[in-house]
Amino acid sequence: MTTKNLLVELFVEELPPKALKKLGDSFGATLLEQLRSQGLATAASQLTTYASPRRLAAHVSAVADRAADRPSSQKLMPVSVGLDAQGQPTPALLKKLQALGADASAAAGLKRAPDGKAEALFYESTVRGATLAEGLQKALAEAITRLPIPKVMTYQLADGWTDVKFVRPAHSLLALHGSDVVPIEALGLKAGNTTHGHRFEASSAQVAVPDADSYAEVLEQLGAVIPGFETRRAEIVRQLQAAAQRVGAGARPIEDEALLDEVTALVERPNVLVCAFEKEFLDVPQECLILTMKANQKYFPLLDAHGRLTNQFLVVSNIRPQDPSAVVGGNERVVRPRLADAKFFFDQDRKKSLESRVAGLAKVVYHNRLGTQGERVQRVRRLAQAIGARWQGDLLARQADQAAMLAKADLLTDMVGEFPELQGTMGRYYAQADGLPADIADAIEDHYKPRFAGDALPRGAVGVAVALADKFETLAGLFSIGQLPTGDKDPFALRRHALGIVRMLIEKDLPLQLDQLINDAVALFPQADPGTPALLADFIFDRLAGSLREQGYSAQEVDAVLALRPQRLGDVGKRLAAVRAFAALPEAPALAAANKRIGNILKKAERAVDPHVSEELLKEPAEQALYQATRDVAPRARSQFEAGDYTGSLQTLAALRGPVDAFFDDVMVNAEQLDLRLNRLGLLASLHGAMNRVADLSRLAA
């Protein structure tokens, strides 16, 4: 058994660029997994994947030409079924042995071993290890089957009869174990030691690969191809930075990881060139120009040192001509009509004010069960007014109402019709063109924020008010008609809306009550059933809990705080900090356990417990001491709580540990005398209320 490095390549027509990286990773990972499962590769074998527009390849180190033989023990049947009373094999056993390729003589060598309550017969043999050709054939078939192909193509082989289904037509298969060709087949192709290089710049039509380890080097030198996805990506980044430096004046290419991945999947031999367009197009909002260059042409716009768009951009070409002027000129000629369209849309849109477009929203369907965008705008306006009035008064209410009225008007503009990604952004520009105040213009753009995890929040109070109103209206409306997320399906991005609400309420520390906001929103939808507010509250608190755990808070800490359902979410951070500080105190475990015990006692009480305590009925010294300690400590803790000093409030309560421990050691709570029992339950109820203002401390008990 000899070990060498293995190289497998499928050469195909141009693969889908947005799926290329996943295809390459999947191809290599499945090959390695299958080779390991057959004993041809070991845990020490290293995988290197290659993925270019026209090839998927994998290099695996330390692959054996044949797997080691392995012992096998196969259970056949119970002894009582396989052997008769004289110990001779039954027909059933002989038939089973025959199916395994053994004859009757093998019966004498069968192993008898316990199997549960009975004894069974086992057939022991040596399984021949798979050859590399056998194992690689199986591994390659599995790798092809498991590829995450976006859409399968059907094409015919050269014989004109055989149909093959694959992501793109395949033209050659390369399989080398060291320098030896592995005789395998796939997709109607037989493996060899040749591949194809760059479509235009390879030194020859076919490129011979002498051995597995020289694959990348030979392809780069003779085939004019950089086969490694990450290597090619890094080369593009290097060339982009170098080109920007040549432009000077602090120029830098726009950062876009998705665009970089897509361009990497479009070229095999990257060559970055500097192009330019007429400066008059810079009068158009730069977001429009950047989007059309990125989305339609896959160009990298250049920004100046202040982040403003310049009239130059970078093209990643797939060829390296001695004179690139034709390539540069062609790209400049292609982008010009795109930019002219953007300028035309911008000029035409500004001929009508945003306010004049609002009436047209009544003709745009929002949801067949929730009415038009016009009706939706009215609902958002009512919520935005209410939020503004509660938060800062009449001025903010009026501003929020105006911004909410105009927030969706840009949906009817030509620019947003062409580039839906610019909704909100174009609304801000058109509001500025209409002479509206900056607060209103910014709010029109910001009411969609945060659009994704880590996105910025709205800049001003008007934007926050409208963003909250927009998200609450969306959640309440869809919850009212039963359109809740299920599993990983969330077509209306309701989880993102809920997290956006949570972030704004917490990070902006807004003095707004969550239950009021939910009730106001649900009240806008007559079709909502009575349980909708509670359902929506649960949904938001679930998102909050997940977010807090991701921030590093323990499940116990989060559970303790959220068990009380604090309605002012801006306080949650301070409550969590207080709980964490309390949990570090030596008194914390005992008080948490006692709190849990008190809660259980109160739950089992035959009637609702009145927290009133009669001093005359306090008979035992321990209950008298606890009552006095509670009278001393609880008011101070309450004052600290009301002042927002949650950490101080919980630390003040730590002084109750001794009296609480003594109470449970010395006092029978469920006394036979009714008035004593009720008085002691009342004492525990008052203690329980005092201890659980900041968080439910029982949730901290081990």
Side-chain angles (χ1 to χ4, degrees), residues 597 660-667:
R597 184 176 178 183
V660 168
D661 288 347
F663 177 87
F664 282 118
D665 287 341
D666 301 340
V667 178

Side-chain angles (χ1 to χ4, degrees), residues 534-549:
L535 197 62
L536 181 50
D538 289 343
F539 182 74
I540 292 174
F541 273 107
D542 283 346
R543 304 282 79 71
L544 172 57
S547 174
L548 293 173
R549 287 193 292 269

Side-chain angles (χ1 to χ4, degrees), residues 339-524:
L339 302 182
D341 286 346
K343 186 175 188 306
F344 174 78
F345 292 147
F346 185 56
D347 291 340
Q348 290 298 112
D349 287 341
R350 286 182 296 170
K351 292 179 179 179
K352 291 179 65 176
S353 68
L354 281 180
E355 189 168 356
S356 69
R357 298 178 186 272
V358 172
L361 293 171
K363 299 176 183 178
V364 180
V365 175
Y366 166 56
H367 190 286
N368 62 353
R369 295 173 62 188
L370 296 173
T372 66
Q373 284 285 5
E375 292 171 312
R376 182 172 183 238
V377 164
Q378 294 305 315
R379 293 192 292 265
V380 174
R381 288 179 67 181
R382 288 174 59 185
L383 276 179
Q385 281 181 294
I387 291 169
R390 282 205 191 99
W391 182 9
Q392 293 185 14
D394 291 343
L395 176 59
L396 181 58
R398 289 194 300 272
Q399 292 173 320
D401 175 49
Q402 183 182 12
M405 177 184 69
L406 302 173
K408 305 297 181 184
D410 67 348
L411 296 177
L412 300 179
T413 62
D414 291 338
M415 187 73 83
V416 173
E418 181 71 15
F419 301 111
E421 304 94 326
L422 294 177
Q423 56 187 285
T425 300
M426 295 314 302
R428 177 171 65 86
Y429 281 109
Y430 296 142
Q432 290 171 343
D434 291 344
L436 294 174
D439 287 348
I440 304 299
D442 289 345
I444 292 172
E445 178 181 30
D446 289 353
H447 86 280
Y448 289 105
K449 295 179 181 178
R451 296 174 186 256
F452 51 85
D455 191 19
L457 297 182
R459 284 162 279 192
V462 182
V464 171
V466 180
L468 283 173
D470 184 71
K471 289 169 175 56
F472 271 112
E473 191 277 340
T474 301
L475 286 167
L478 291 164
F479 267 65
S480 73
I481 58 173
Q483 295 290 318
L484 280 66
T486 56
D488 60 349
K489 295 180 180 179
D490 187 9
F492 299 104
L494 299 187
R495 294 186 179 98
R496 177 169 58 80
H497 282 298
L499 281 171
I501 287 170
V502 164
R503 282 192 59 198
M504 284 186 280
L505 291 175
I506 291 178
E507 293 178 32
K508 296 290 186 178
D509 194 18
L510 302 184
L512 301 172
Q513 299 294 310
L514 181 63
D515 54 353
Q516 285 184 335
L517 295 170
I518 290 174
N519 290 334
D520 287 350
V522 173
L524 297 171

Side-chain angles (χ1 to χ4, degrees), residues 547-568:
S547 174
L548 293 173
R549 287 193 292 269
E550 288 177 2
Q551 293 173 42
Y553 294 104
S554 71
Q556 275 188 322
E557 291 168 343
V558 172
D559 195 23
V561 170
L562 298 192
L564 300 185
R565 290 298 183 96
Q567 296 303 315
R568 192 181 186 282

